Amino acid sequence: MANIKRAAVIGAGVMGAAIAGHLANVGIPTLLLDIVPREETEEEKRKGLTLQDPQVRNRLAEAGKARLLKEKPSPVYHKEVLELITPGNLEDDLDKLSEVDWIIEAVVENLAIKQQLFENIEKVWKRGTIVSSNTSGISIHAMVEGRSEAFRRHFLGTHFFNPPRYMKLLEIIPTKDTDPAIVDQMKAFAENVLGKGVVMAKDTPNFIANRIGVYGTLVTLQAMFEQNLGPDEVDALTGPVMGRPKSATFRTLDLVGLDTFVHVAENVRSNVDDPEEKAAFEVPDVLKEMVSRNWLGEKSGQGFFKKVKTDKGKEILALDLATMEYRPRKKLKAASLETAKRAKTLPEKLRTLVYADDPAGKFAWHILKKVLLYTAARIPEIADDIVSVDKAMKWGFNWELGPFETWDAIGVERSVARMREEGEKIPPLVEELLASGYTSFYSREKGEPPRVFAIGGKYVGVEEHPKTIDLARLKEQNKVIRSNKGASLIDIGDDVALLEFHSPKNAIGADIIAMINAAVKEVSANYRGLVIGNQGTHFCVGANLMLILMEAQDHNWPELDLMVRQFQKAMGSLRYLDKPVVAAPFGMTLGGGVEVCLPCDRIQAAAETYMGLVEVGVGLIPGGGGNKEMLLRWMEGVDPKDRVALQPLVNHVFEVIGTAKVSTSAREARDYRFLRPEDGITINTDHLLYDAKQTVLAMDRAGYRPPQPKKIPVVGETGYNVLRLGAYTMLQSGYITEHDYKIASKLAYVLAGGNVPEGTLVTEEYLLDLEREAFLSLCGEPKSQQRMQYMLTKNKPLRN
């Protein structure tokens, strides 16, 4: 792995600053440089500043850094990481580039400017320092023409996708002169430190993802004009039903920016030789007209869609491309679309839609056919293998399946037969596949790693990272120890077991609780430790709210009480298991999902983990031990006799739970004490289960001993009144409703330990009883039931 301890980013625009932000996210001190402004702003003149003042000379880099705090979603894990970014300029600070290990160029997309910049960099360049360009399409070779051989050996392309924090793809583009060892080092560094999915691309126009993605968008635009559809109608077809993001085609274009899209498309058109391909990348006149009107999308307030205020609130209008006026959105009505939506798997959805004999099906078939044919025809021009292409589109454009995986899903033989009938030219790669007697690009034997069709007419193994644990494959290998509808216990090797949730949305119900209890017994008897994790969309969104609401509406209090008791007991079993337990949360980890993590010995969280005890949003408080666990975390290291210190800590817990704080990253989760300082954070989610397993093994080797129960000091009646007064002040100020106040009062009573003297030492069971009683009483409140019902139907909280 490359030994990169310090870095520099040149260019503090949107992309450059965001790259610097992500380097800071992973703990790398970064120098952020830009040009010296040519003149002062009016504000600088009023302050008496001149072009000689550092404040003016570093203005562009300072502005880029400051912007990182304002952008939503945030490019940084936590505001504190910005301390690692040092702004400067290319005149005063150029020599500081000799102090860094990696220099990333992210300036304007102009070849002459880049060439001049690299000439200047080489004057201060320290041999061994890696230099790369973040260009999205300019020739990597051309940038360093005239540079020394040593410089060229350390130079390559590193194309980040925006925003760098969230987009997994990093395209690495070596030149013919790049040292292969440096390519390997950067790949390992990007995967293990930056958390990226790396694809090796060739130095061709717009590399892999943008080449295919832009082509697909232009094909979709053309088909929209031909079939007289609107952008809203097309987006209904090109979103999740085809395995694409909810933003589909035109909402995505608005997010990217139409000017950016036009620039990328024209870059391909001007750099390819084939007349047919040049024509395919011709930007439609309507798009040019929108750019000339500054209808660029989200950043200008309007594009293919426009958000307006109406008497009923906010409404999103769609652009009528015939009149260039905005109109209310229309819902596309098509039998094939509705049938496809009801299909259980994506391959079924795709086959249902693209083989349908109605306008929606024909539209979907036409654009998919064009993209598949174009992509296959670009091999080996843009990449040496189809896996790189599939990964690029999944990681760079958030497709659920890559182009070749999609081709397998709809059936290669069936689709190619139809393409031939329609007079399409079949690319050599596809002809070679079928001539070899194969019918799919990927081949998998049960329990075995996937294999892929390669140039040369044979299947080869797909390269896998050594830190990858594939739960689906382990199941095929009969590594399941126990299983039910909601969860499975899986042997992940080295005498470590993994508890996987797989209920709908990973919501916690009776099946998961039963499996937790089974896991505790099994691990205690036969394993070195337990990991709690899964490979779903999110770790866990909480308890089964529908079940809770049904039991409450039926006044089935004994059953509901038993359910909560069992959940509390299962969490206690995890806390005091005689083997180490490590939770591996990622994505949405809410309510009961947090309560599963809190009693574990360690948490190994993905960097993108959004943790929060959000029960107040549905009219409840945590019922699975979350209140007790948060008290324990906030009181760690505090003298139980220090009553002065206790109240502020309880106040913090009251605020975190009472306002349903949700972390925007694992790093921020530490602020709320969902994570402790000793808990780990994994940047690359693909490595999360591996890292959690290694934590279990390390704890076992260190001679693990389980924690011992101890009594908890509470603030009692005095502290309860303090908490309730704070809530009452918010009520009187109009910040919360009467029902919010009722929920807050119940929460305050639990966190204070009830009506006992301040400083009383209570047991965990005592606090759990208070928690359960408060939870059940709120379940019986009509307004809480209204909140639960609203969340289930609208997927957002109700303030009643």
Side-chain angles (χ1 to χ4, degrees), residues 329-373:
R329 287 183 294 174
K330 294 186 289 190
K331 188 172 183 180
L332 180 65
K333 295 180 180 179
S336 62
L337 178 60
E338 296 308 314
T339 304
K341 285 179 179 178
R342 291 194 294 270
K344 291 183 178 180
T345 67
L346 180 55
E348 289 173 327
K349 292 179 191 292
L350 286 166
R351 290 192 294 270
T352 300
L353 184 60
V354 301
Y355 292 127
D357 189 23
D358 67 2
K362 291 176 180 176
F363 182 93
W365 163 254
H366 175 76
I367 61 172
L368 185 60
K369 173 185 71 172
K370 290 292 185 184
V371 170
L372 296 182
L373 289 169

Side-chain angles (χ1 to χ4, degrees), residues 519-538:
V520 166
K521 292 179 182 177
E522 183 71 35
V523 170
S524 177
N526 300 310
Y527 289 85
R528 296 168 68 181
L530 175 68
V531 171
I532 303 177
N534 62 76
Q535 293 175 328
T537 305
H538 299 287

Side-chain angles (χ1 to χ4, degrees), residues 489-535:
L489 188 64
I490 304 168
D491 186 335
I492 59 173
D494 298 313
D495 293 326
V496 177
L498 179 137
L499 176 63
E500 176 200 29
F501 299 169
H502 47 66
S503 61
K505 296 185 179 179
N506 289 345
I508 298 169
D511 286 338
I512 286 180
I513 294 173
M515 192 53 61
I516 291 173
N517 292 328
V520 166
K521 292 179 182 177
E522 183 71 35
V523 170
S524 177
N526 300 310
Y527 289 85
R528 296 168 68 181
L530 175 68
V531 171
I532 303 177
N534 62 76
Q535 293 175 328

Side-chain angles (χ1 to χ4, degrees), residues 649-674:
L649 298 176
V650 177
N651 293 349
H652 280 301
V653 178
F654 183 64
E655 180 186 2
V656 169
I657 299 175
T659 59
K661 295 283 189 186
V662 177
S663 69
T664 60
S665 67
R667 173 64 183 79
E668 191 179 53
R670 284 183 172 151
D671 292 353
Y672 304 138
R673 308 260 177 113
F674 296 132

Side-chain angles (χ1 to χ4, degrees), residues 38-326:
R38 293 174 182 167
E39 58 183 24
E40 306 92 337
T41 64
E42 290 302 318
E43 183 180 355
E44 287 167 345
K45 289 177 182 177
R46 285 195 298 271
K47 292 180 178 179
L49 298 172
T50 71
L51 288 177
Q52 305 310 311
D53 288 296
Q55 188 175 339
V56 177
R57 297 176 72 78
N58 297 340
R59 183 210 310 150
L60 297 179
E62 289 282 6
K65 177 179 176 178
R67 202 167 52 242
L68 295 174
L69 272 184
K70 300 174 185 176
E71 291 182 7
K72 301 293 180 184
S74 176
V76 293
Y77 294 153
H78 195 280
K79 60 184 179 182
E80 288 179 359
V81 308
L82 294 181
E83 296 172 6
L84 293 174
I85 299 176
T86 303
N89 68 75
L90 282 167
E91 293 181 16
D92 305 326
D93 303 302
L94 188 68
D95 60 335
K96 293 180 181 177
L97 296 179
S98 64
E99 302 169 5
V100 306
D101 308 302
W102 182 20
I103 301 168
I104 307 167
E105 171 271 311
V107 302
V108 63
E109 292 284 68
N110 179 293
L111 178 58
I113 290 175
K114 290 178 187 290
Q115 288 175 328
Q116 181 61 57
L117 176 61
F118 288 123
E119 182 180 339
N120 293 338
I121 288 174
E122 187 169 13
K123 293 173 183 175
V124 298
W125 177 69
K126 178 185 66 180
R127 192 181 184 92
T129 299
I130 297 169
V131 185
S132 70
S133 171
N134 182 60
T135 181
S136 59
I138 291 178
S139 169
I140 304 298
H141 286 81
M143 287 183 203
V144 286
E145 286 180 0
R147 304 280 57 77
S148 69
E149 180 186 353
F151 189 90
R152 295 198 310 272
R153 285 181 63 78
H154 290 80
F155 183 78
L156 69 166
T158 51
H159 180 213
F160 289 82
F161 273 62
N162 194 29
R165 169 184 166 181
Y166 301 98
M167 295 303 292
K168 185 172 181 176
L169 179 61
L170 177 70
E171 291 176 321
I172 289 184
I173 312 100
T175 73
K176 66 181 188 306
D177 299 318
T178 310
D179 185 341
I182 286 176
V183 176
D184 292 341
Q185 290 167 13
M186 285 303 294
K187 182 176 185 292
F189 175 82
E191 290 173 338
N192 295 311
V193 180
L194 299 180
K196 294 297 172 187
V198 173
V199 164
M200 304 306 298
K202 295 187 177 183
D203 192 8
T204 54
N206 291 93
F207 314 127
I208 299 175
N210 278 342
R211 179 91 169 258
I212 296 168
V214 170
Y215 175 85
T217 301
L218 289 168
V219 165
T220 304
L221 266 166
Q222 188 61 42
M224 179 176 69
F225 298 143
E226 291 172 357
Q227 296 201 24
N228 197 29
L229 294 173
D232 45 351
E233 295 169 303
V234 171
D235 274 3
L237 286 169
T238 60
V241 74
M242 290 187 73
R244 312 288 170 79
K246 289 182 180 179
S247 55
T249 301
F250 295 102
R251 181 77 184 104
T252 297
L253 261 182
D254 277 357
L255 292 169
V256 168
L258 272 65
D259 53 341
T260 301
F261 176 82
V262 168
H263 168 78
V264 174
E266 290 182 340
N267 184 63
V268 178
R269 187 177 63 83
S270 61
N271 284 287
V272 295
D273 299 322
D274 179 34
E276 187 177 333
E277 190 172 8
K278 274 186 180 292
F281 280 89
E282 178 67 46
V283 176
D285 290 339
V286 68
L287 219 57
K288 295 177 181 177
E289 173 65 18
M290 291 174 71
V291 172
S292 71
R293 295 188 185 196
N294 201 41
W295 294 2
L296 308 179
E298 192 89 354
K299 59 187 173 185
S300 66
Q302 64 189 95
F304 284 100
F305 298 95
K306 181 181 181 181
K307 189 179 291 186
V308 297
K309 290 183 179 179
T310 67
D311 296 338
K312 298 179 181 179
K314 292 181 179 178
E315 182 183 0
I316 297 176
L317 304 178
L319 181 63
D320 186 321
L321 295 166
T323 64
M324 295 301 281
E325 294 180 356
Y326 290 91

Side-chain angles (χ1 to χ4, degrees), residues 384-402:
D384 286 326
D385 61 277
I386 67 174
V387 176
S388 295
V389 174
D390 279 348
K391 286 180 176 179
M393 299 315 297
K394 290 191 290 185
W395 294 340
F397 279 76
N398 291 323
W399 290 10
E400 197 171 330
L401 296 175

